[in-house]
Amino acid sequence: MPILSFVLKRVIQAGFVLVAVTLFVSFAIRLTGDPAVMMLRESANVTPEDLARIREGLGLNRPFLVQYWDFITGLLTGDLGASFFRGAIGPLVSDALGATLLLALTSLAVSLVISIPLGIYAATHRGSFGDQLVRVLSLAGLSFPNFWLGIMLVLIFSVTLRWLPPSGFMGPASLIMPAVTIGVILTSTNLRIVRTTMLDVLSSQFIMVARAKGLSQTAVIYKHALRNSSIALVTYLGLQFGSLMGGLVVVELVFNWPGMGTLAIEAIAQRDYPILQTVISILAVMIVAVNLLVDLTYMLLDPRIRLE
């Protein structure tokens, strides 16, 4: 019952957040320009009557709140409507969301596979040459802008060596460079988090008790220390996932990746209100859901934590 009460309270809070986000986005995008003008920008002798007919056909002549209500009811019923320029929104968003999720989850996996073992090694060999090397590499990774790293990977592995496709999504090989580009940046931060939290946990009294009982180093590190130090990492992973879902625009543009960021940029350029509203709303729902999942994960990792 406490868990159900917590979930219900968070869902209600999320509802207010989503209404505020969608309302703001729906209003703000209408300040960027007129889609009717975009449609007729290459036409000669455009009259005000022509623009009025386009606006009426798109439904832009209706009051703002009426347009917003239609968008929200369509979103809740699964009817995403149609783009001003590209047809049905459902297939467009579905393809873009799948591409973004694939890239984000693969990047997080790459980061965890690298950062957890290296962070544990650095923490258990504090002050050694290996620890210093890991810290230097972590700092170097934080210093690389993601667009620069992406361009360098393209120059080396696509232009020079011709091992990987430079852009687009043409199979698993196309995923390698974008995932490595993002994964390296994430690893630099996650590695430092794992190392710092592991150092704190390894100096705790219960770790000394576990060692006094004769537990092996492997059991102490992976069964006790890692689990208790993972709360900070889980928190940051939730934040990273949220930023990845909406912040992959630069990497997607470098690699011409057909994700949500690319779709949103194209919608902004075309003043395509329906697509941008839908993209932002879906990203907001996913971020809220991930944050709720992170909160529930806290309780599984440490039963002493109460959900409020």
Side-chain angles (χ1 to χ4, degrees):
M1 289 303 295
I3 295 179
L4 292 177
S5 176
F6 171 79
V7 171
L8 181 60
K9 182 168 66 174
R10 289 298 298 271
V11 168
I12 294 174
Q13 293 173 352
F16 287 106
V17 171
L18 294 176
V19 169
V21 169
T22 55
L23 188 60
F24 173 77
V25 171
S26 299
F27 177 76
I29 191 177
R30 284 166 170 77
L31 303 177
T32 62
D34 190 347
V37 175
M38 290 292 297
M39 288 183 172
L40 300 177
R41 65 184 182 278
E42 297 181 358
S43 301
N45 302 320
V46 178
T47 64
E49 290 75 16
D50 295 330
L51 294 176
R53 282 195 296 270
I54 294 293
R55 295 189 187 103
E56 184 177 0
L58 297 177
L60 299 177
N61 60 334
R62 298 175 300 163
F64 167 72
L65 291 179
V66 174
Q67 297 180 50
Y68 176 74
W69 176 253
D70 289 344
F71 164 71
I72 289 296
T73 54
L75 193 66
L76 294 176
T77 57
D79 180 12
L80 302 182
S83 162
F84 290 160
F85 301 90
R86 305 172 62 178
I89 294 178
L92 294 173
V93 172
S94 177
D95 293 342
L97 181 60
T100 294
L101 280 175
L102 177 62
L103 181 55
L105 294 176
T106 304
S107 302
L108 285 175
V110 169
S111 172
L112 293 177
V113 167
I114 299 173
S115 60
I116 291 179
L118 288 182
I120 292 175
Y121 173 83
T124 54
H125 297 77
R126 183 178 185 180
S128 66
F129 173 77
D131 179 29
Q132 298 297 330
L133 180 61
V134 167
R135 294 171 67 185
V136 169
L137 292 176
S138 172
L139 183 60
L142 288 173
S143 304
F144 292 147
N146 53 12
F147 67 88
W148 179 87
L149 182 58
I151 293 173
M152 291 300 102
L153 291 178
V154 170
L155 289 175
I156 295 173
F157 294 102
S158 297
V159 177
T160 304
L161 299 177
R162 299 183 182 277
W163 288 354
L164 298 170
S167 62
F169 184 32
M170 298 176 288
S174 302
L175 181 62
I176 295 176
M177 288 195 295
V180 169
T181 299
I182 302 168
V184 166
I185 307 300
L186 299 181
T187 297
S188 302
T189 304
N190 292 341
L191 194 157
R192 298 172 74 89
I193 291 175
V194 173
R195 179 185 180 275
T196 302
T197 54
M198 283 291 292
L199 287 174
D200 290 339
V201 173
L202 288 174
S203 61
S204 301
Q205 185 175 3
F206 76 92
I207 294 295
M208 292 186 286
V209 172
R211 285 174 171 159
K213 291 181 177 179
L215 296 180
S216 65
Q217 179 73 350
T218 301
V220 171
I221 295 297
Y222 291 97
K223 185 177 180 180
H224 297 282
L226 181 60
R227 177 175 180 177
N228 284 274
S229 65
S230 59
I231 292 178
L233 181 61
V234 168
T235 301
Y236 200 73
L237 286 177
L239 297 175
Q240 283 182 336
F241 183 80
S243 64
L244 284 178
M245 292 304 298
L248 292 178
V249 177
V250 174
V251 175
E252 288 184 357
L253 292 178
V254 169
F255 293 100
N256 194 26
W257 188 262
M260 296 286 274
T262 301
L263 185 62
I265 291 295
E266 294 172 351
I268 292 173
Q270 296 178 328
R271 296 359 178 229
D272 201 335
Y273 303 164
I275 286 184
L276 186 60
Q277 291 175 160
T278 303
V279 168
I280 298 300
S281 300
I282 291 176
L283 292 179
V285 169
M286 295 192 66
I287 292 172
V288 169
V290 169
N291 288 333
L292 175 59
L293 182 61
V294 168
D295 289 339
L296 294 176
T297 305
Y298 288 164
M299 191 182 65
L300 297 177
L301 293 173
D302 189 347
R304 295 173 300 177
I305 295 177
R306 292 182 59 190
L307 300 176
E308 297 180 356

